[in-house]
Amino acid sequence: MNDTLYIVVVLGSSTCTVPGSDAQTFLLLDARGRLLDRLICEINSRLTRRLAGRFYTSMHAMPLLGQVHLVTHLDWVDPQGSSYCLHHRGVKARFFWEEESSPDDRFPAGKPPKLDLEGLCCIAVQAGQFRVLFPVK
């Protein structure tokens, strides 16, 4: 069992420009508060401001794996035709929503069930770094 203590800080932010962006920024700190890693999940702010989507991060304990997963979500908006970006270790990766309908009437058509269930981004902490579990590019 790894007894290393890590601190994860999640910051939500928005730009004041149009077009703009909303971001969930993850900071990984060691027990002394030193920055070990940083990851940003960024979306177009029109999805939250004009279309009233909810952009947030949830935490899920995975005791059998000895991990905590952080999942970033965008709820209650049809993002079809949009994309989102992950910034990690100097690399910017862009991901696009698939153009398929959701079989569940609670969600708007065009929002893939996979993103409804898994979120935009799922990360874990491994060996003092963030590891992106989903999406994989």
Side-chain angles (χ1 to χ4, degrees):
M1 175 103 183
N2 186 352
D3 292 335
T4 305
L5 176 66
Y6 297 109
I7 301 163
V8 176
V9 178
V10 182
L11 303 169
S13 63
S14 297
T15 60
C16 295
T17 60
V18 177
S21 62
D22 289 344
Q24 294 283 299
T25 300
F26 301 88
L27 303 174
L28 180 63
L29 309 174
D30 67 11
R32 293 183 172 196
R34 289 181 294 215
L35 181 64
L36 301 174
D37 204 359
R38 179 174 65 152
L39 184 139
I40 301 169
C41 181
E42 179 182 38
I43 63 170
N44 187 308
S45 63
R46 287 185 178 111
L47 295 169
T48 55
R49 293 183 208 163
R50 193 175 81 198
L51 300 177
R54 185 171 159 233
F55 186 49
Y56 65 98
T57 296
S58 61
M59 184 173 63
H60 305 275
M62 310 296 284
L64 295 177
L65 298 174
Q67 293 181 348
V68 171
H69 291 182
L70 299 158
V71 181
T72 302
H73 305 272
L74 177 63
D75 288 346
W76 306 111
V77 64
D78 181 355
Q80 190 168 343
S82 298
S83 64
Y84 65 101
C85 295
L86 296 182
H87 305 264
H88 190 219
R89 298 189 194 130
V91 175
K92 178 180 178 179
R94 183 174 300 269
F95 300 91
F96 295 88
W97 274 272
E98 301 168 35
E99 295 183 10
E100 62 182 71
S101 297
S102 173
D104 189 334
D105 290 336
R106 293 178 304 142
F107 299 104
K111 186 175 181 189
K114 188 171 190 176
L115 293 180
D116 292 340
L117 299 174
E118 296 182 21
L120 304 180
C121 174
C122 179
I123 61 174
V125 175
Q126 291 184 342
Q129 298 180 358
F130 286 126
R131 178 168 172 242
V132 178
L133 303 174
F134 175 84
V136 180
K137 197 162 197 167

